Structure formats: structure tokens, C-alpha cells
């Protein structure tokens, strides 16, 4: 019998059997990137974790609505909700529009997701597209008496909230610890208490990004964005909320307080937190200077890298580790993963090429039992809080089986056809749909890039000759292959849907 899916819930600090609110539907929300710079490999680890959660739940037959937002306003340089807006700061630095910053880094994020085989979410809402919902939520919190307005900013009143509800239960922080961390930040004079946080921030006169609100021109609070968008698309209570460990406090703790403060309902049933990608034990982060970008990894173009690595080998490197454990980056570890990955992929090809030949040879009951046990236990591992580390170990066991059949010292016919098919189906599902590590590597991408370059050049030639019927034909035919061509000032670009 197949085991039930269990998820480690940060809130209860226990693995709990997963029971969706409205099966077969599942609502899944993951905090997306703040698009003011390029995502580094650490960010990508967290997004990959929730990609696997999305893929596995879908594989199990759930109808998942996966919402992953884009933070394109309101995320200040200090996570406690003070400092300057990251996107605004970048726009001023680069002397471009904030929305140009947002577009540039959203595009690059999507490109990285595509290369890493991350499925697009069902909905990818932007914070700036949901200002109305955020203002409405601030109003509800104010009406319930859990927030107050000062000089055009609205702050969440943590002490007042704590009279009726808990604050700190997700992260395990107590309020005095929180006080320690917030003492020296600016903007404190407006707050009744240093632990309060902004849910709407008045925009300084020279701020480019600004929206009209009942409290004057301002920008939304970062924590509030996720509360408003998850509520809009998944409801006041939904199944799973994910993000990196470092978002537990203050971001997620504040999300709970806001939702309860606005609507009186606990927003999330299962809180999932992905652990950090580290370098020599330190969290990878841009500010520490120990981060690198996916494109640097694929080109081997960074002082920390001995060589280039393929995107799928890197994805496999992540899969070999459980998402709640830290994963330490090193060239040695990546090279080991690369070797393991090559082995696995060879076995995958071997298994795919094997054909079951019906004959009268005696079946091996022992072999049939072993293969069936492997097919069952790989699901047990995934059902144990998405343990991809142990699932990949089982894939290696399965590879051994596949290779042995190929070499013929156990003929395929030692298995009955049903078991043989089950092995093939399970192995393929894990490689292709769940861990999703079988995408063509960069080499394949280069060929595509080259071919597309050629096609777009031919199209341009046609346009230059005013042969619009040919150029439109090329565009329409590409669209049938889900390739979209966009004409811009710099020429035509393409993207695959
Ligand atoms: P940000 O764009 O800074 O909001 O971060 C996007 C996501 O990446 C968040 O879920 C973070 O928790 C996550 N993250 C940041 N640094 C790391 C890291 N070193 N390892 C894993 N996840 C990270
Ligand atoms: Zn969030």
C-alpha cells in the first residue's frame, strides 16, 4: 500500500499527513524574487524546491494552483521594513525607470527558470498589479484596530495584536529578541513600538514609485504584498505556503499577523521552509560577496568555479539533498554530482531503449519482488516530506537493474511484463516529471539559439524586402511551435511559452 504524503510543517514543527482543504485542489504559494538584480544560485535552490513540490503534487493527481509572486515594489533594503526601496535604489543608480529595472530582472529570472527546467507557476502576480487589494487589506486591519496611521504611513500594532493572538509562533522568536534587532533603525520615531512594522509606507517627495491611497501617496509594505496576493488567488485560508528559511521572520510571521488581523483567519495550513545554499558554511548571499549567478556557473566564469557545469547537473546536485538540510557548494561536490548525474542519465537512456520480449524463460520471483519494492519505496521517500535525496538513491538502485538487463546476465524476461513496465514508468516519471533532470543541456540550447538566429535573420531579410507575407508566415509558424517573436528597437527576439 502506498504511504500517505507527509509534510514538515514549520508551524507545528512536526511532519503532518497532508490533507488539502478541498481535494483534489491544492493551493500553493511561494514567495517570488524581488526583481532588482539577478537571482543567484542560492535563490534558485529555494525556487527549485517549490518547483519539485508543485511537480510532485501534480504527479500525485492534485489540481494545483501554484502562485509565485514577483516583488516589484516595497521591498526595502532592511528586511525589518526600513531603509530604501530596492527597486527605486537600482533605478536611480542605473538612471532608468523603476519599471525598466523590474522588466529587465523579471525577464532574466524567467530565462534562468527556463534553463533550470522550472515550470512556470499557474499565476505570477506582481505587487504593483495588486495595489488595490493591498489598500483594501490595510483598511481591514485598521478597521479591526490592529494598525495605526502616522504621517501617511500605516503600521501594524504588534502589541495590540498580541492581546488577542500569538505573534512569533512560526519563527519561535520572542518579542524581546525582536526588539534587540530593531533598536537602531530609522523610521522608529513614528512607531508606537519598535516591533511594529509598516504595512503602508508614505513615499518621500522624490520617490518615483508611488500610489495614491487614503493615507496619501505611498508604497505597499513588502509583507503585505504576499498576504494580499495569496488571499486574492488562493483564499483567506489555503494549503501550502513556502519560501526560504530566512523569510520565516519577519516576512512570514508578519503575513500571519496581517491575515489574522484583517480577516480573523489563520491563512496557511502547512508552512514549508527551504534551507540555505551555503559556501563554506555561510549562507550564499549577494551582500556577503560569496554568490554567483547561474550564467556564471554554466560558463565556469567565476573565481570560485574550477570549471563550467551544466544546468541539469546542478539541478541534480540540489536534488541529492533534502530541502530542509543546508547544501554546501564546492567544486568537489558539484563534480561528484556531475558524475552521478551522467550515470543516471545513461541508465535512463538504457531503460528507455530496452524492449520487453515475451518468451518462455522462467521468471525470477526474487527479481520481481525487488523491482516492485524499489518502485514502491521511491514514492515512500517522496511522501516522507519530499525526500529527494533518498529518492535519487533509489533511482541509482533502479539504474543498476536497468543496466544489468542490458548486459544480459539477467535477461529482461526474468521480469514479468507488468513489473518491467512499472520500472520503466516509475523511473521515467521521476527523471522527467518530478525531479525534472532530463532537459537538453546547454549544448542543445546552443543549437536552438543558432537555428533561431538563422530563422530570425531570414525573416528580417524578408521584411527588408517588404515581403511581409513571408515574414508573417515565419512568425505564425513559429507561434504554432509555441515560439513567440517580438519585434523591438534592437531587432526581433524570441521566447518559448
Ligand atoms: P529575495 O529575492 O531576496 O526575496 O529571495 C528570493 C528567495 O531566495 C527567498 O525565498 C529567499 O529565502 C531565498 N534565498 C536567499 N538566499 C538563499 C540561499 N543562500 N539559499 C537558499 N535560498 C535563498
Ligand atoms: Zn512573500
Amino acid at each position: 500500500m502506498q504511504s500517505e504524503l507527509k509534510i514538515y510543517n514549520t508551524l507545528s514543527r512536526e511532519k503532518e499527513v497532508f490533507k488539502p482543504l478541498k481535494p483534489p485542489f491544492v493551493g500553493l504559494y511561494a514567495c517570488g524574487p524581488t526583481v532588482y538584480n539577478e537571482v543567484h544560485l542560492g535563490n534558485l535552490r529555494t525556487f527549485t524546491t517549490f518547483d519539485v513540490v508543485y511537480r510532485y503534487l501534480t504527479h500525485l493527481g492534485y489540481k494545483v494552483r501554484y502562485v509565485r509572486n514577483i516583488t516589484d515594489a516595497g521591498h526595502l533594503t532592511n528586511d525589518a521594513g526600513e531603509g530604501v526601496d530596492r527597486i527605486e535604489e537600482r533605478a536611480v543608480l542605473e538612471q532608468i525607470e523603476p519599471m525598466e529595472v523590474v522588466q529587465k530582472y523579471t525577464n532574466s529570472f524567467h530565462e534562468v527558470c527556463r534553463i533550470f527546467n522550472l515550470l512556470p507557476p499557474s499565476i505570477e502576480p506582481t505587487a504593483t498589479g495588486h495595489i488595490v487589494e493591498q489598500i483594501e487589506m490595510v483598511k481591514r486591519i485598521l478597521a479591526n484596530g490592529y494598525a495605526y496611521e502616522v504621517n501617511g504611513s500605516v503600521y501594524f500594532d504588534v502589541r495590540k495584536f498580541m492581546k488577542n493572538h500569538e505573534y512569533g509562533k512560526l519563527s519561535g522568536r520572542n518579542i524581546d529578541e525582536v526588539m534587540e534587532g530593531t533598536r537602531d533603525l530609522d523610521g522608529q520615531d513614528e512607531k508606537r513600538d519598535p516591533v511594529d512594522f509598516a504595512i503602508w509606507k508614505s513615499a518621500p517627495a522624490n520617490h518615483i514609485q508611488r500610489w495614491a491611497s487614503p493615507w496619501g501617496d505611498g508604497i505597499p509594505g513588502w509583507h503585505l504584498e504576499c498576504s494580499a496576493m495569496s488571499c486574492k488567488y488562493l483564499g483567506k485560508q489555503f494549503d501550502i505556503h513556502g519560501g526560504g528559511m530566512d523569510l520565516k521572520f519577519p516576512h512570514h510571521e508578519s503575513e500571519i499577523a496581517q491575515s489574522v488581523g484583517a480577516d480573523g483567519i489563520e491563512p496557511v495550513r502547512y508552512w514549508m521552509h527551504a534551507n540555505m545554499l551555503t559556501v563554506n558554511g555561510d549562507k550564499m548571499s549577494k551582500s556577503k560577496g560569496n554568490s554567483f549567478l547561474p550564467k556564471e556557473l554554466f560558463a565556469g566564469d567565476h573565481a570560485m568555479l574550477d570549471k563550467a557545469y551544466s544546468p541539469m547537473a546542478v539541478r541534480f546536485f540540489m536534488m541529492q539533498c533534502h530541502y530542509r538540510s543546508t547544501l554546501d557548494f564546492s567544486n568537489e561536490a558539484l563534480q561528484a554530482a556531475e558524475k552521478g548525474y551522467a550515470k543516471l542519465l545513461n541508465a535512463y537512456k538504457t531503460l528507455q531503449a530496452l524492449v520487453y520480449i515475451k518468451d518462455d524463460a522462467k521468471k525470477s520471483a526474487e527479481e520481481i519482488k525487488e523491482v516492485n519494492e524499489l518502485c514502491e519505496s521511491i514514492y515512500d521517500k517522496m511522501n516522507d516530506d519530499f525526500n529527494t535525496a533518498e529518492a535519487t538513491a533509489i533511482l541509482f538502485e533502479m539504474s543498476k537493474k536497468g543496466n544489468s538487463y542490458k548486459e544480459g546476465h539477467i535477461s529482461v524476461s526474468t521480469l514479468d511484463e507488468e513489473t518491467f513496465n512499472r520500472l520503466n514508468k516509475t523511473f521515467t516519471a521521476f527523471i522527467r516529471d518530478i525531479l525534472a533532470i532530463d532537459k537538453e543541456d546547454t549544448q542543445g540550447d546552443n543549437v536552438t539559439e543558432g537555428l533561431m538566429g538563422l530563422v530570425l535573420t531570414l525573416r528580417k531579410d524578408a521584411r527588408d524586402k517588404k515581403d511581409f507575407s513571408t515574414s508573417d508566415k515565419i512568425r505564425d509558424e513559429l507561434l504554432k511551435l509555441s515560439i513567440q517573436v517580438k519585434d523591438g528597437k534592437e531587432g526581433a527576439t524570441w521566447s518559448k511559452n
Side-chain angles (χ1 to χ4, degrees):
M1 227 214 22
Q2 202 171 308
S3 50
E4 292 177 297
L5 173 63
K6 286 193 179 141
I7 298 182
Y8 181 87
N9 190 347
T10 312
L11 202 56
S12 64
R13 289 153 183 76
E14 272 173 20
K15 281 185 202 164
E16 295 173 17
V17 173
F18 178 58
K19 294 220 183 305
L21 273 170
K22 293 182 213 106
F25 302 101
V26 171
L28 168 66
Y29 187 94
C31 294
T34 304
V35 283
Y36 71 111
N37 62 15
E38 291 185 49
V39 289
H40 59 61
L41 200 70
N43 303 131
L44 208 63
R45 181 185 183 204
T46 292
F47 297 129
T48 308
T49 295
F50 294 101
D51 180 60
V52 173
V53 170
Y54 176 38
R55 284 171 174 278
Y56 188 58
L57 289 169
T58 306
H59 177 79
L60 292 182
Y62 290 114
K63 303 213 174 323
V64 188
R65 180 179 293 166
Y66 175 31
V67 182
R68 187 189 63 208
N69 74 295
I70 294 279
T71 297
D72 57 351
H75 194 172
L76 306 188
T77 41
N78 182 296
D79 279 351
E82 305 301 339
V84 289
D85 186 295
R86 295 179 191 207
I87 286 160
E88 180 92 9
E89 185 182 51
R90 181 51 66 112
V92 171
L93 196 75
E94 293 191 17
Q95 296 200 317
I96 54 177
E97 276 288 323
M99 274 299 153
E100 258 176 298
V101 175
V102 166
Q103 193 65 58
K104 177 174 167 184
Y105 294 111
T106 302
N107 291 350
S108 103
F109 174 61
H110 285 162
E111 179 61 7
V112 168
C113 289
R114 189 184 65 79
I115 293 173
F116 258 88
N117 221 7
L118 266 64
L119 290 174
S122 330
I123 303 177
E124 193 173 46
T126 60
T128 58
H130 296 79
I131 300 289
V132 172
E133 287 80 359
Q134 291 164 74
I135 290 177
E136 287 307 311
M137 193 160 197
V138 173
K139 282 192 202 161
R140 298 205 293 281
I141 300 172
L142 274 169
N144 290 338
Y146 292 126
Y148 54 90
E149 190 232 315
V150 186
N151 301 332
S153 293
V154 183
Y155 294 98
F156 193 90
D157 192 335
V158 174
R159 298 273 179 197
K160 181 99 179 276
F161 180 76
M162 286 174 75
K163 287 196 180 129
N164 303 318
H165 307 279
E166 266 183 88
Y167 183 77
K169 63 183 171 187
L170 180 72
S171 58
R173 299 270 183 115
N174 70 37
I175 209 91
D176 300 321
E177 262 180 65
V178 177
M179 294 271 286
E180 279 289 302
T182 49
R183 249 186 329 216
D184 304 325
L185 301 171
D186 44 286
Q188 295 297 21
D189 45 337
E190 284 186 352
K191 296 183 188 175
R192 287 187 191 157
D193 195 296
V195 292
D196 296 347
F197 55 90
I199 51 180
W200 183 264
K201 195 93 176 142
S202 147
N206 58 354
H207 212 268
I208 313 168
Q209 274 193 314
R210 57 200 304 121
W211 289 269
S213 81
W215 316 283
D217 277 7
I219 50 169
W222 173 44
H223 313 317
L224 194 89
E225 297 174 354
C226 286
S227 292
M229 290 185 278
S230 60
C231 177
K232 170 153 176 138
Y233 296 111
L234 300 173
K236 287 181 179 157
Q237 192 179 57
F238 58 95
D239 297 302
I240 306 173
H241 190 317
M245 276 303 199
D246 54 341
L247 297 190
K248 270 195 234 173
F249 189 89
H251 189 53
H252 293 159
E253 198 74 63
S254 306
E255 275 189 47
I256 298 178
Q258 290 163 163
S259 297
V260 174
D263 300 313
I265 299 171
E266 278 289 328
V268 177
R269 310 230 314 154
Y270 302 84
W271 279 98
M272 290 182 68
H273 288 98
N275 213 328
M276 297 290 108
L277 181 75
T278 58
V279 182
N280 296 323
D282 274 343
K283 173 185 167 186
M284 178 178 281
S285 91
K286 196 151 190 233
S287 57
K288 284 197 184 125
N290 65 355
S291 68
F292 46 78
L293 307 176
K295 66 181 178 202
E296 293 169 332
L297 193 67
F298 310 145
D301 183 18
H302 192 281
M304 280 158 63
L305 298 164
D306 289 351
K307 64 186 264 312
Y309 298 92
S310 78
M312 288 304 98
V314 176
R315 187 170 166 122
F316 177 70
F317 168 66
M318 294 179 181
M319 294 299 124
Q320 276 194 303
C321 181
H322 186 243
Y323 76 91
R324 279 192 295 117
S325 308
T326 54
L327 172 61
D328 202 47
F329 162 83
S330 72
N331 281 284
E332 296 73 40
L334 264 179
Q335 277 159 34
E338 200 174 42
K339 282 200 189 113
Y341 173 66
K343 258 199 214 162
L344 209 55
L345 222 61
N346 272 335
Y348 174 52
K349 285 181 190 143
T350 302
L351 256 174
Q352 281 193 320
L354 280 180
V355 181
Y356 189 82
I357 300 163
K358 287 190 179 131
D359 60 16
D360 295 332
K362 198 173 171 316
K363 311 288 169 216
S364 159
E366 182 60 22
E367 187 70 11
I368 291 172
K369 184 167 167 271
E370 278 181 30
V371 169
N372 276 304
E373 276 171 4
L374 287 176
C375 292
E376 198 158 309
S377 70
I378 195 163
Y379 281 95
D380 291 340
K381 302 301 181 194
M382 282 302 279
N383 285 343
D384 183 16
D385 192 28
F386 306 95
N387 197 332
T388 57
E390 293 197 8
T392 46
I394 305 251
L395 283 179
F396 280 115
E397 295 291 314
M398 290 178 162
S399 304
K400 277 192 216 147
K401 295 280 178 206
N403 288 332
S404 71
Y405 303 146
K406 178 187 145 204
E407 279 149 27
H409 62 262
I410 307 175
S411 107
V412 174
S413 58
T414 53
L415 292 181
D416 60 304
E417 191 169 9
E418 196 186 336
T419 308
F420 172 77
N421 287 340
R422 186 179 183 193
L423 175 65
N424 240 336
K425 199 172 142 209
T426 310
F427 197 84
T428 304
F430 271 81
I431 296 274
R432 199 184 55 197
D433 305 331
I434 301 168
L435 305 181
I437 47 177
D438 76 327
K439 195 170 176 276
E440 288 279 297
D441 270 342
T442 35
Q443 203 121 42
D445 285 340
N446 287 341
V447 173
T448 313
E449 293 283 347
L451 285 174
M452 282 306 299
L454 180 66
V455 171
L456 293 185
T457 308
L458 292 174
R459 182 168 170 268
K460 184 175 178 296
D461 290 346
R463 276 167 74 104
D464 289 347
K465 286 189 215 135
K466 305 221 177 311
D467 178 3
F468 295 114
S469 79
T470 302
S471 77
D472 288 351
K473 184 162 187 223
I474 294 176
R475 188 198 55 206
D476 296 344
E477 290 301 315
L478 287 173
L479 205 57
K480 284 188 198 154
L481 300 169
S482 303
I483 294 172
Q484 207 168 17
V485 176
K486 273 207 187 114
D487 293 302
K489 266 192 252 154
E490 311 285 337
T493 54
W494 66 278
S495 58
K496 184 134 177 40
N497 294 331

